[in-house]
Structure formats: structure tokens, C-alpha cells
Coordinates of all heavy atoms in Angstrom, one line a residue:
M1 N 0.8 -1.3 0.0 CA -0.1 0.0 0.0 C 0.9 1.3 0.0 O 0.5 2.3 -0.5 CB -0.8 0.0 1.2 CG -2.2 -0.7 1.2 SD -3.4 0.2 0.0 CE -4.8 -0.7 0.2
R2 N 2.0 1.3 0.6 CA 2.9 2.4 0.8 C 4.1 2.3 -0.1 O 5.0 3.0 0.1 CB 3.3 2.7 2.2 CG 2.1 3.2 3.1 CD 2.6 3.6 4.4 NE 1.6 3.5 5.5 CZ 0.9 4.6 5.9 NH1 1.3 5.8 5.5 NH2 0.1 4.4 6.9
T3 N 3.9 1.5 -1.3 CA 5.1 1.4 -2.2 C 4.8 2.4 -3.3 O 3.7 2.4 -3.8 CB 5.0 0.0 -2.8 OG1 5.1 -1.0 -1.8 CG2 6.3 -0.2 -3.8
K4 N 5.9 3.1 -3.6 CA 5.8 4.2 -4.6 C 5.3 3.6 -6.0 O 5.9 2.7 -6.4 CB 7.0 5.0 -4.7 CG 7.0 6.2 -5.4 CD 8.4 7.0 -5.1 CE 8.5 8.2 -6.1 NZ 9.6 9.0 -5.8
L5 N 4.2 4.3 -6.5 CA 3.8 3.8 -7.8 C 4.6 4.5 -9.0 O 5.2 5.6 -8.8 CB 2.3 4.4 -8.1 CG 1.3 3.9 -7.2 CD1 -0.1 4.4 -7.2 CD2 1.2 2.2 -7.0
G6 N 4.7 3.7 -10.1 CA 5.4 4.2 -11.3 C 4.4 5.0 -12.1 O 3.1 5.0 -11.9
D7 N 5.0 5.8 -13.1 CA 4.1 6.5 -13.9 C 2.9 5.9 -14.6 O 1.9 6.4 -14.6 CB 5.0 7.2 -15.0 CG 5.9 8.2 -14.4 OD1 5.7 8.7 -13.3 OD2 6.8 8.7 -15.1
A8 N 3.2 4.7 -15.2 CA 2.0 4.0 -15.8 C 1.0 3.6 -14.8 O -0.3 3.7 -15.2 CB 2.5 2.8 -16.5
Q9 N 1.5 3.1 -13.6 CA 0.4 2.8 -12.5 C -0.4 4.1 -12.2 O -1.6 3.9 -11.8 CB 1.2 2.2 -11.4 CG 1.7 0.9 -11.5 CD 2.6 0.4 -10.4 OE1 3.6 1.2 -10.0 NE2 2.3 -0.8 -9.8
I10 N 0.3 5.1 -12.1 CA -0.5 6.4 -11.7 C -1.4 6.9 -12.7 O -2.7 7.2 -12.4 CB 0.6 7.6 -11.4 CG1 1.5 7.4 -10.2 CG2 0.0 8.9 -11.3 CD1 2.6 8.3 -9.9
V11 N -1.1 6.7 -14.0 CA -2.1 6.9 -15.1 C -3.2 6.2 -15.0 O -4.3 6.6 -15.1 CB -1.4 6.8 -16.6 CG1 -2.3 7.0 -17.6 CG2 -0.3 7.9 -16.7
D12 N -2.9 4.8 -14.7 CA -4.0 3.9 -14.6 C -4.9 4.1 -13.4 O -6.2 4.1 -13.6 CB -3.3 2.5 -14.4 CG -4.1 1.4 -15.1 OD1 -4.5 1.7 -16.2 OD2 -4.4 0.3 -14.6
A13 N -4.3 4.5 -12.3 CA -5.2 4.7 -11.0 C -5.9 6.1 -11.3 O -7.0 6.0 -10.7 CB -4.2 4.8 -9.9
L14 N -5.4 7.0 -11.8 CA -6.2 8.2 -12.1 C -7.3 8.0 -12.9 O -8.3 8.7 -12.7 CB -5.2 9.3 -12.9 CG -4.3 10.2 -12.0 CD1 -3.3 11.0 -12.8 CD2 -5.1 11.1 -11.0
R15 N -7.1 7.2 -14.0 CA -8.3 6.9 -14.8 C -9.4 6.3 -14.1 O -10.6 6.4 -14.3 CB -7.8 5.9 -16.0 CG -8.5 6.1 -17.2 CD -8.0 5.1 -18.3 NE -6.7 5.7 -18.9 CZ -5.7 5.0 -19.1 NH1 -5.6 3.6 -18.9 NH2 -4.6 5.5 -19.7
Q16 N -9.2 5.6 -12.9 CA -10.2 4.9 -12.0 C -10.6 5.8 -11.1 O -11.4 5.3 -10.1 CB -9.6 3.7 -11.6 CG -9.4 2.5 -12.7 CD -8.6 1.4 -12.1 OE1 -9.0 0.8 -11.2 NE2 -7.4 1.1 -12.8
T17 N -10.1 7.0 -11.0 CA -10.5 7.9 -9.8 C -10.9 9.2 -10.4 O -10.1 10.2 -10.4 CB -9.2 8.1 -8.8 OG1 -8.5 6.9 -8.8 CG2 -9.7 8.5 -7.5
P18 N -12.1 9.4 -10.9 CA -12.5 10.5 -11.6 C -12.4 11.8 -10.6 O -12.7 11.7 -9.5 CB -14.0 10.3 -11.9 CG -14.2 8.9 -11.7 CD -13.1 8.3 -10.8
G19 N -12.2 12.9 -11.3 CA -12.1 14.2 -10.6 C -10.7 14.6 -10.0 O -10.6 15.7 -9.7
W20 N -9.9 13.6 -10.0 CA -8.5 13.8 -9.4 C -7.5 14.1 -10.6 O -7.6 13.5 -11.5 CB -8.1 12.8 -8.4 CG -9.0 12.6 -7.4 CD1 -10.2 12.0 -7.2 CD2 -8.7 13.1 -6.0 NE1 -10.7 12.2 -6.0 CE2 -9.9 12.8 -5.2 CE3 -7.6 13.9 -5.4 CZ2 -9.9 13.2 -3.8 CZ3 -7.7 14.2 -4.0 CH2 -8.8 14.0 -3.3
E21 N -6.7 15.0 -10.3 CA -5.6 15.3 -11.2 C -4.2 15.4 -10.6 O -4.1 15.7 -9.3 CB -5.9 16.4 -12.1 CG -6.0 17.8 -11.3 CD -6.5 18.9 -12.1 OE1 -7.3 18.7 -13.0 OE2 -6.2 20.1 -11.8
L22 N -3.2 15.1 -11.3 CA -1.8 15.3 -10.8 C -1.5 16.8 -10.5 O -1.8 17.7 -11.3 CB -0.8 14.8 -11.9 CG -0.5 13.4 -11.8 CD1 0.5 13.0 -13.0 CD2 0.0 12.9 -10.6
D23 N -0.8 17.0 -9.4 CA -0.5 18.3 -9.0 C 0.8 18.3 -8.3 O 0.9 17.9 -7.0 CB -1.6 18.9 -8.1 CG -1.2 20.3 -7.5 OD1 -0.5 21.0 -8.2 OD2 -1.8 20.6 -6.5
D24 N 2.0 18.4 -8.9 CA 3.2 18.5 -8.4 C 3.5 17.4 -7.4 O 3.8 17.6 -6.2 CB 3.3 19.9 -7.6 CG 4.8 20.2 -7.3 OD1 5.7 19.7 -7.9 OD2 4.9 21.1 -6.3
G25 N 3.5 16.2 -8.0 CA 3.9 15.1 -7.2 C 2.7 14.4 -6.2 O 2.8 13.5 -5.6
A26 N 1.5 15.1 -6.3 CA 0.4 14.8 -5.5 C -0.8 14.6 -6.3 O -0.8 14.9 -7.7 CB 0.1 15.8 -4.5
I27 N -1.9 14.0 -5.8 CA -3.2 14.2 -6.7 C -4.0 15.1 -6.0 O -4.0 15.1 -4.7 CB -3.9 12.8 -6.8 CG1 -3.9 12.0 -5.5 CG2 -3.1 11.9 -7.9 CD1 -4.9 10.7 -5.6
A28 N -4.8 15.8 -6.8 CA -5.6 16.9 -6.1 C -7.1 17.0 -6.6 O -7.2 16.7 -7.8 CB -5.0 18.2 -6.2
R29 N -7.9 17.3 -5.8 CA -9.4 17.7 -6.2 C -9.9 18.8 -5.5 O -9.7 18.8 -4.3 CB -10.2 16.3 -6.1 CG -11.6 16.6 -6.7 CD -12.5 15.3 -6.7 NE -13.8 15.6 -7.0 CZ -15.0 14.9 -7.1 NH1 -14.7 13.6 -7.0 NH2 -16.0 15.5 -7.5
S30 N -10.7 19.7 -6.1 CA -11.2 20.8 -5.4 C -12.9 20.5 -5.3 O -13.4 19.8 -6.1 CB -11.1 22.2 -6.1 OG -11.3 22.0 -7.4
F31 N -13.4 21.0 -4.2 CA -14.8 20.8 -3.9 C -15.4 22.2 -3.6 O -14.8 23.0 -3.0 CB -14.9 20.0 -2.8 CG -14.3 18.5 -2.9 CD1 -12.9 18.3 -2.7 CD2 -15.0 17.5 -3.4 CE1 -12.3 17.1 -2.8 CE2 -14.5 16.3 -3.5 CZ -13.0 16.0 -3.3
E32 N -16.7 22.4 -3.9 CA -17.5 23.4 -3.5 C -18.9 23.1 -2.9 O -19.4 22.2 -3.7 CB -17.6 24.5 -4.7 CG -18.0 25.7 -4.3 CD -17.9 26.8 -5.4 OE1 -17.1 26.7 -6.4 OE2 -18.6 27.8 -5.3
F33 N -19.1 23.7 -1.9 CA -20.4 23.4 -1.1 C -21.2 24.6 -1.0 O -20.8 25.7 -1.4 CB -20.0 22.8 0.2 CG -19.2 21.5 0.3 CD1 -17.9 21.5 0.1 CD2 -19.8 20.3 0.1 CE1 -17.1 20.5 0.0 CE2 -19.1 19.2 -0.1 CZ -17.6 19.2 0.0
A34 N -22.5 24.3 -0.6 CA -23.4 25.5 -0.5 C -22.8 26.6 0.6 O -23.0 27.7 0.5 CB -24.8 24.9 0.0
D35 N -22.2 26.0 1.6 CA -21.9 26.9 2.6 C -20.7 26.2 3.5 O -20.3 25.1 3.4 CB -23.0 27.4 3.5 CG -23.8 26.3 4.0 OD1 -23.3 25.2 4.2 OD2 -24.9 26.4 4.4
F36 N -20.3 26.9 4.6 CA -19.2 26.5 5.4 C -19.7 25.1 6.1 O -18.8 24.0 6.4 CB -18.7 27.4 6.4 CG -17.7 26.9 7.3 CD1 -16.4 26.4 6.7 CD2 -18.0 26.8 8.7 CE1 -15.5 26.0 7.8 CE2 -16.9 26.4 9.5 CZ -15.7 25.9 9.1
K37 N -20.9 25.2 6.5 CA -21.5 24.0 7.4 C -21.4 22.8 6.6 O -21.1 21.7 7.0 CB -22.9 24.4 7.8 CG -23.4 23.6 8.9 CD -24.7 24.2 9.4 CE -25.4 23.3 10.5 NZ -26.6 23.8 10.9
Q38 N -21.8 22.7 5.3 CA -21.8 21.6 4.6 C -20.3 21.1 4.3 O -20.0 20.1 4.1 CB -22.4 21.9 3.0 CG -23.9 22.4 3.0 CD -24.7 21.1 3.3 OE1 -24.5 20.1 2.7 NE2 -25.8 21.3 4.1
C39 N -19.5 22.1 4.0 CA -18.0 21.8 3.7 C -17.4 21.1 4.9 O -16.7 20.1 4.8 CB -17.4 23.2 3.3 SG -15.6 22.8 2.8
W40 N -17.7 21.6 6.0 CA -17.1 21.2 7.3 C -17.7 19.8 7.7 O -17.0 18.9 8.1 CB -17.4 22.2 8.5 CG -17.0 21.8 9.7 CD1 -15.7 21.4 10.1 CD2 -17.7 21.9 10.9 NE1 -15.7 21.2 11.5 CE2 -16.9 21.4 12.1 CE3 -19.0 22.3 11.3 CZ2 -17.3 21.4 13.3 CZ3 -19.3 22.3 12.6 CH2 -18.5 21.9 13.7
A41 N -18.9 19.5 7.3 CA -19.5 18.2 7.6 C -18.8 17.2 6.7 O -18.5 16.1 7.2 CB -21.0 18.2 7.3
F42 N -18.5 17.7 5.5 CA -17.7 16.7 4.4 C -16.3 16.5 5.0 O -15.8 15.4 4.9 CB -17.6 17.3 3.1 CG -17.0 16.7 2.1 CD1 -17.6 15.5 1.4 CD2 -15.7 17.0 1.7 CE1 -16.9 14.8 0.4 CE2 -15.0 16.4 0.7 CZ -15.6 15.3 0.1
M43 N -15.7 17.5 5.5 CA -14.3 17.5 6.0 C -14.3 16.4 7.3 O -13.3 15.7 7.4 CB -13.7 18.8 6.5 CG -13.5 19.7 5.3 SD -13.0 21.3 5.8 CE -11.3 21.1 6.3
Q44 N -15.4 16.5 8.0 CA -15.4 15.5 9.2 C -15.5 14.1 8.7 O -14.7 13.1 9.2 CB -16.7 15.8 10.0 CG -16.5 16.9 11.0 CD -17.7 17.0 11.9 OE1 -18.7 17.3 11.5 NE2 -17.4 17.0 13.1
K45 N -16.1 13.8 7.5 CA -16.2 12.5 7.0 C -14.9 12.0 6.5 O -14.4 11.0 6.7 CB -17.2 12.3 5.9 CG -18.6 12.4 6.5 CD -19.6 12.1 5.4 CE -20.6 13.0 4.9 NZ -21.5 12.7 3.9
V46 N -14.2 13.0 5.8 CA -12.9 12.7 5.2 C -11.9 12.5 6.4 O -11.0 11.5 6.3 CB -12.4 13.9 4.3 CG1 -10.9 13.6 3.9 CG2 -13.4 14.1 3.2
A47 N -12.0 13.3 7.4 CA -11.0 13.1 8.5 C -11.2 11.7 9.3 O -10.2 11.2 9.5 CB -11.3 14.2 9.6
Q48 N -12.4 11.4 9.3 CA -12.7 10.0 9.9 C -12.1 8.9 9.1 O -11.4 8.0 9.6 CB -14.2 9.8 9.9 CG -14.7 8.4 10.5 CD -15.1 8.5 12.0 OE1 -15.6 9.4 12.4 NE2 -14.8 7.4 12.6
V49 N -12.4 8.8 7.8 CA -11.7 7.8 7.0 C -10.2 7.9 6.9 O -9.4 6.9 6.8 CB -12.5 7.7 5.6 CG1 -12.0 8.9 4.7 CG2 -12.0 6.4 4.9
A50 N -9.7 9.2 6.8 CA -8.2 9.3 6.9 C -7.6 8.7 8.1 O -6.6 8.0 8.1 CB -7.9 10.8 6.8
E51 N -8.2 9.0 9.3 CA -7.6 8.3 10.6 C -7.8 6.8 10.5 O -6.9 6.2 10.8 CB -8.5 9.0 11.8 CG -7.9 8.8 13.0 CD -6.6 9.2 13.2 OE1 -6.0 10.1 12.4 OE2 -6.0 8.9 14.2
E52 N -8.9 6.4 10.0 CA -9.0 4.9 9.9 C -8.0 4.3 9.0 O -7.3 3.1 9.3 CB -10.4 4.5 9.3 CG -11.4 4.6 10.4 CD -12.9 4.6 9.7 OE1 -13.2 4.4 8.6 OE2 -13.9 5.0 10.4
L53 N -7.6 5.0 7.9 CA -6.5 4.5 7.0 C -5.2 4.8 7.4 O -4.1 4.4 6.8 CB -6.7 5.0 5.7 CG -8.0 4.5 4.9 CD1 -8.2 5.4 3.5 CD2 -7.9 3.0 4.5
D54 N -5.1 5.7 8.4 CA -3.8 6.2 8.9 C -3.1 6.9 7.9 O -2.0 6.7 7.4 CB -2.9 5.2 9.5 CG -1.6 5.8 10.2 OD1 -1.6 6.9 10.6 OD2 -0.5 5.1 10.1
H55 N -3.9 7.7 7.0 CA -3.3 8.3 5.9 C -4.0 9.7 5.7 O -5.3 9.8 5.6 CB -3.7 7.6 4.5 CG -2.7 7.9 3.5 ND1 -1.5 7.8 3.5 CD2 -3.1 8.5 2.2 CE1 -0.9 8.3 2.4 NE2 -1.9 8.7 1.6
H56 N -3.3 10.8 5.8 CA -3.9 12.1 6.1 C -3.7 13.1 4.9 O -2.6 13.2 4.3 CB -3.2 12.7 7.4 CG -3.5 11.7 8.5 ND1 -2.6 10.7 8.8 CD2 -4.6 11.6 9.4 CE1 -3.1 10.0 9.9 NE2 -4.4 10.5 10.2
P57 N -4.8 13.9 4.7 CA -4.7 14.8 3.5 C -4.0 16.0 3.8 O -4.0 16.4 5.0 CB -6.2 15.0 3.4 CG -6.9 14.9 4.7 CD -6.0 13.8 5.3
E58 N -3.6 16.6 2.8 CA -3.2 18.1 3.0 C -4.3 18.9 2.4 O -4.8 18.4 1.3 CB -1.9 18.3 2.0 CG -1.5 19.8 1.9 CD -0.4 19.9 0.8 OE1 0.5 18.9 0.6 OE2 -0.3 20.8 0.2
W59 N -4.8 19.8 3.1 CA -6.1 20.4 2.5 C -6.0 21.9 3.0 O -5.6 22.3 4.0 CB -7.3 19.7 3.0 CG -7.6 19.4 4.5 CD1 -6.9 19.8 5.5 CD2 -8.6 18.4 5.0 NE1 -7.5 19.2 6.6 CE2 -8.4 18.5 6.3 CE3 -9.6 17.7 4.3 CZ2 -9.3 17.6 7.1 CZ3 -10.4 16.9 5.2 CH2 -10.2 16.9 6.4
T60 N -6.9 22.6 2.2 CA -7.1 24.0 2.4 C -8.5 24.3 2.2 O -9.2 24.0 1.3 CB -6.4 24.9 1.3 OG1 -4.9 24.4 1.3 CG2 -6.3 26.4 1.6
N61 N -9.1 25.0 3.2 CA -10.5 25.3 3.2 C -10.6 26.8 3.4 O -10.0 27.5 4.3 CB -11.2 24.6 4.5 CG -12.6 25.2 4.9 OD1 -12.7 25.7 6.0 ND2 -13.4 25.3 3.9
V62 N -11.5 27.4 2.6 CA -11.9 28.8 2.6 C -13.4 28.8 2.5 O -13.9 28.5 1.4 CB -11.3 29.7 1.6 CG1 -11.7 31.2 1.8 CG2 -9.7 29.6 1.7
Y63 N -14.2 28.9 3.6 CA -15.6 29.1 3.7 C -16.2 27.8 3.0 O -16.1 26.7 3.7 CB -16.1 30.4 3.0 CG -17.7 30.4 3.1 CD1 -18.3 30.3 4.3 CD2 -18.3 30.7 1.9 CE1 -19.7 30.3 4.3 CE2 -19.8 30.7 2.0 CZ -20.3 30.5 3.2 OH -21.8 30.6 3.3
N64 N -16.7 27.9 1.7 CA -17.4 26.7 1.3 C -16.4 26.0 0.1 O -16.9 25.0 -0.5 CB -18.6 27.2 0.5 CG -18.4 28.0 -0.7 OD1 -17.3 28.7 -0.8 ND2 -19.2 28.0 -1.7
K65 N -15.2 26.3 0.1 CA -14.3 25.7 -0.9 C -13.2 24.9 -0.1 O -12.8 25.3 0.9 CB -13.6 26.8 -1.7 CG -14.6 27.6 -2.7 CD -13.8 28.3 -3.6 CE -14.7 29.0 -4.7 NZ -15.5 30.1 -4.1
L66 N -13.0 23.7 -0.8 CA -12.0 22.9 -0.1 C -11.2 22.4 -1.3 O -11.6 21.8 -2.3 CB -12.8 21.7 0.6 CG -11.9 20.6 1.1 CD1 -11.1 21.1 2.3 CD2 -12.8 19.4 1.6
L67 N -9.8 22.4 -0.9 CA -8.8 21.8 -2.0 C -8.2 20.7 -1.1 O -7.6 20.9 -0.1 CB -7.8 22.7 -2.4 CG -6.7 22.2 -3.2 CD1 -7.2 21.6 -4.6 CD2 -5.6 23.2 -3.6
I68 N -8.2 19.5 -1.8 CA -7.6 18.2 -1.1 C -6.4 17.7 -2.0 O -6.5 17.6 -3.1 CB -8.5 17.1 -0.8 CG1 -9.6 17.6 0.2 CG2 -7.8 16.0 -0.1 CD1 -10.7 16.5 0.4
R69 N -5.2 17.7 -1.3 CA -4.1 17.1 -2.1 C -3.6 15.9 -1.3 O -3.5 15.8 0.0 CB -2.9 18.1 -2.1 CG -3.1 19.3 -2.9 CD -2.0 20.2 -2.9 NE -0.9 19.9 -3.9 CZ 0.2 19.3 -3.5 NH1 0.6 19.0 -2.3 NH2 1.2 19.0 -4.5
L70 N -3.4 14.8 -2.0 CA -2.9 13.6 -1.5 C -1.6 13.0 -2.0 O -1.4 13.0 -3.2 CB -4.0 12.5 -1.7 CG -5.4 12.7 -1.3 CD1 -6.4 11.6 -1.7 CD2 -5.5 12.8 0.2
S71 N -0.7 12.7 -1.1 CA 0.4 12.0 -1.5 C 1.0 11.3 -0.2 O 0.4 11.5 0.9 CB 1.5 13.0 -2.0 OG 2.1 13.7 -0.8
T72 N 1.9 10.4 -0.4 CA 2.6 9.6 0.7 C 3.9 10.1 1.0 O 4.8 9.8 0.3 CB 2.5 8.1 0.4 OG1 1.2 7.8 -0.1 CG2 2.8 7.2 1.5
H73 N 4.0 11.0 2.1 CA 5.2 11.5 2.4 C 6.2 10.4 2.8 O 7.3 10.5 2.5 CB 5.2 12.7 3.4 CG 4.3 12.5 4.5 ND1 4.5 11.8 5.6 CD2 2.9 13.1 4.6 CE1 3.4 12.0 6.5 NE2 2.5 12.6 5.9
D74 N 5.8 9.3 3.4 CA 6.7 8.3 3.9 C 7.3 7.6 2.6 O 8.5 7.1 2.7 CB 5.9 7.1 4.5 CG 5.5 7.5 6.0 OD1 5.8 8.6 6.4 OD2 4.5 6.8 6.5
A75 N 6.6 7.6 1.5 CA 7.3 7.0 0.2 C 7.8 8.1 -0.7 O 8.4 7.7 -1.8 CB 6.2 6.1 -0.4
D76 N 7.6 9.4 -0.3 CA 8.0 10.5 -1.2 C 7.4 10.3 -2.6 O 8.2 10.6 -3.5 CB 9.6 10.5 -1.3 CG 10.1 11.8 -1.8 OD1 9.4 12.9 -1.6 OD2 11.2 11.9 -2.4
G77 N 6.1 10.1 -2.6 CA 5.4 10.1 -3.8 C 4.0 9.5 -3.7 O 3.5 9.7 -2.6
L78 N 3.5 9.0 -4.8 CA 2.1 8.5 -4.7 C 2.1 7.0 -4.5 O 3.0 6.2 -5.2 CB 1.3 8.8 -6.1 CG 1.0 10.4 -6.2 CD1 0.7 10.6 -7.7 CD2 -0.1 10.7 -5.3
T79 N 1.1 6.6 -3.8 CA 1.0 5.1 -3.4 C -0.5 4.7 -3.6 O -1.4 5.6 -3.7 CB 1.4 4.7 -2.1 OG1 0.5 5.3 -1.2 CG2 2.9 5.2 -1.7
A80 N -0.7 3.3 -3.5 CA -2.1 3.0 -3.6 C -3.0 3.6 -2.6 O -4.3 3.7 -2.6 CB -2.1 1.3 -3.6
L81 N -2.3 3.8 -1.4 CA -3.1 4.4 -0.3 C -3.7 5.8 -0.7 O -4.8 6.2 -0.3 CB -2.2 4.5 0.9 CG -2.7 4.5 2.3 CD1 -3.7 3.3 2.5 CD2 -1.5 4.2 3.4
D82 N -3.0 6.6 -1.6 CA -3.5 7.8 -1.9 C -4.7 7.6 -2.7 O -5.8 8.4 -2.5 CB -2.5 8.6 -2.7 CG -1.2 8.9 -1.8 OD1 -1.5 9.6 -0.8 OD2 -0.1 8.5 -2.2
F83 N -4.8 6.6 -3.7 CA -5.9 6.3 -4.6 C -7.1 5.7 -3.7 O -8.2 6.0 -4.0 CB -5.5 5.5 -5.7 CG -4.7 6.4 -6.6 CD1 -3.3 6.4 -6.7 CD2 -5.2 7.3 -7.5 CE1 -2.4 7.2 -7.4 CE2 -4.5 8.0 -8.5 CZ -3.1 8.1 -8.4
K84 N -6.6 5.0 -2.7 CA -7.7 4.5 -1.9 C -8.5 5.4 -1.1 O -9.7 5.5 -0.9 CB -7.1 3.4 -0.8 CG -8.0 2.6 0.0 CD -7.4 1.5 0.7 CE -8.5 0.8 1.6 NZ -8.1 -0.4 2.2
L85 N -7.8 6.4 -0.5 CA -8.4 7.6 0.2 C -9.2 8.4 -0.8 O -10.3 8.8 -0.6 CB -7.4 8.4 1.0 CG -7.9 9.5 1.8 CD1 -9.0 9.2 2.7 CD2 -6.8 10.3 2.4
A86 N -8.6 8.6 -2.0 CA -9.3 9.5 -3.0 C -10.6 8.7 -3.4 O -11.6 9.4 -3.5 CB -8.4 9.7 -4.4
A87 N -10.6 7.5 -3.6 CA -11.9 6.7 -4.0 C -12.8 6.9 -2.8 O -14.1 7.2 -3.0 CB -11.5 5.3 -4.3
A88 N -12.5 6.8 -1.5 CA -13.4 6.9 -0.4 C -14.0 8.3 -0.3 O -15.1 8.4 0.0 CB -12.5 6.6 0.9
I89 N -13.1 9.3 -0.6 CA -13.6 10.7 -0.7 C -14.6 10.9 -1.8 O -15.7 11.4 -1.6 CB -12.4 11.7 -0.9 CG1 -11.6 11.6 0.4 CG2 -13.0 13.1 -1.1 CD1 -10.3 12.4 0.3
N90 N -14.4 10.3 -3.0 CA -15.2 10.3 -4.1 C -16.6 9.7 -3.7 O -17.7 10.2 -4.1 CB -14.8 9.6 -5.4 CG -13.7 10.5 -6.1 OD1 -13.5 11.7 -5.7 ND2 -13.2 9.9 -7.2
A91 N -16.6 8.6 -2.9 CA -17.9 8.0 -2.6 C -18.7 8.9 -1.7 O -19.9 8.8 -1.8 CB -17.5 6.6 -1.8
F92 N -18.0 9.7 -0.9 CA -18.8 10.6 -0.1 C -19.7 11.6 -1.0 O -20.6 12.1 -0.5 CB -17.8 11.5 0.9 CG -17.4 10.5 1.9 CD1 -16.1 10.8 2.5 CD2 -18.1 9.6 2.6 CE1 -15.5 10.1 3.4 CE2 -17.7 8.8 3.7 CZ -16.2 9.1 4.1
M93 N -19.0 11.9 -2.2 CA -19.7 12.8 -3.1 C -20.8 12.2 -3.9 O -21.5 13.0 -4.5 CB -18.6 13.5 -4.1 CG -17.6 14.4 -3.3 SD -18.4 15.8 -2.5 CE -19.0 16.8 -3.8
A94 N -20.8 11.0 -3.9 CA -21.7 10.3 -4.9 C -23.2 10.2 -4.4 O -23.3 10.6 -3.2 CB -21.4 8.8 -5.0
Ligands
H2B101 N1 -0.3 10.6 5.6 C1 0.2 10.7 4.4 N2 -0.5 11.5 3.5 N3 1.4 10.2 4.1 C2 2.0 9.4 4.9 O1 3.2 9.1 4.5 C3 1.4 9.2 6.2 C4 0.2 9.8 6.6 N4 2.2 8.5 7.1 N5 -0.2 9.7 7.8 C5 1.6 8.1 8.4 C6 0.5 9.0 8.8 C7 2.7 7.9 9.3 O2 3.4 9.1 9.5 C8 2.3 7.3 10.6 C9 3.5 7.1 11.5 O3 1.6 6.1 10.3

């Protein structure tokens, strides 16, 4: 899970994780909600799954906007764990 992925594996994983794009060695997706309350409720769900996976996002929130970046600092790159968390986050939006 924490083994650094190669370029072809990353392209493959991105294809299976809609909404996420490469951003300077990480994968990133931005989100917009009706207001801060909605955004914060979503962040709580993400925080919960992040803690369960022991894999934590880099994120920036301004009112109703949220930018999430995922990478595995232990591996100094992207791993399957980043895509697992990204897929779990996508499922919250479904
Ligand atoms: N989160 C992320 N995004 N990358 C990591 O390498 C990572 C993490 N490592 N959360 C975990 C915690 C590690 O530091 C602990 C000790 O398990």
C-alpha cells in the first residue's frame, strides 16, 4: 500500500479515480459546497476515513471551498493508499 507507484500505474489509477488530477507529485481535487457548514460536515467524514486508513490529507479550506491534495510522504510520492483515500472521498460525493 505504501510502495511508490510508477508513472504507468499512476495514469491507470487516475483513470479509475474521476475528478482527481496530478498536482506537483500529489493528486488533487477541489470541492465546492453550499456553505461552510456543508463543507465542514464533509471534512469531518474525510477526517474519519483518513484516521481509519492512517493516511492524512493536505487540505485548504476557505468558507465553502475545499482543496484536497494527497501524497504519501513516507514514500516520497504516490502510492495505492492515496488512491484508496481518493476513492473513499469520491464515494462521499456520490
Ligand atoms: N499521511 C500521508 N498522507 N502520508 C504518509 O506518509 C503518512 C500519513 N504516514 N499519515 C503516516 C501517517 C505515518 O506518518 C504514521 C506514523 O503512520
Side-chain angles (χ1 to χ4, degrees):
M1 271 292 191
R2 288 185 206 258
T3 308
K4 195 170 168 175
L5 300 176
D7 287 350
Q9 288 172 304
I10 291 170
V11 169
D12 219 41
L14 271 172
R15 215 175 279 138
Q16 292 169 53
T17 320
W20 293 79
E21 55 188 33
L22 273 181
D23 176 25
D24 194 21
I27 51 171
R29 182 174 174 182
S30 55
F31 301 87
E32 193 168 333
F33 299 89
D35 53 26
F36 178 63
K37 205 170 165 182
Q38 297 282 320
C39 188
W40 178 47
F42 180 76
M43 290 175 78
Q44 279 185 298
K45 289 196 243 177
V46 174
Q48 175 97 34
V49 71
E51 191 58 15
E52 281 163 17
L53 291 174
D54 188 31
H55 199 60
H56 302 89
E58 175 189 330
W59 54 12
T60 308
N61 160 239
V62 180
Y63 182 52
N64 64 334
K65 293 190 174 72
L66 177 65
L67 172 66
I68 302 183
R69 291 179 85 251
L70 303 174
S71 70
T72 304
H73 39 82
D74 292 345
D76 196 26
L78 287 165
T79 67
L81 209 44
D82 296 303
F83 288 96
K84 187 171 181 171
L85 181 54
I89 293 170
N90 278 1
F92 291 141
M93 292 301 287

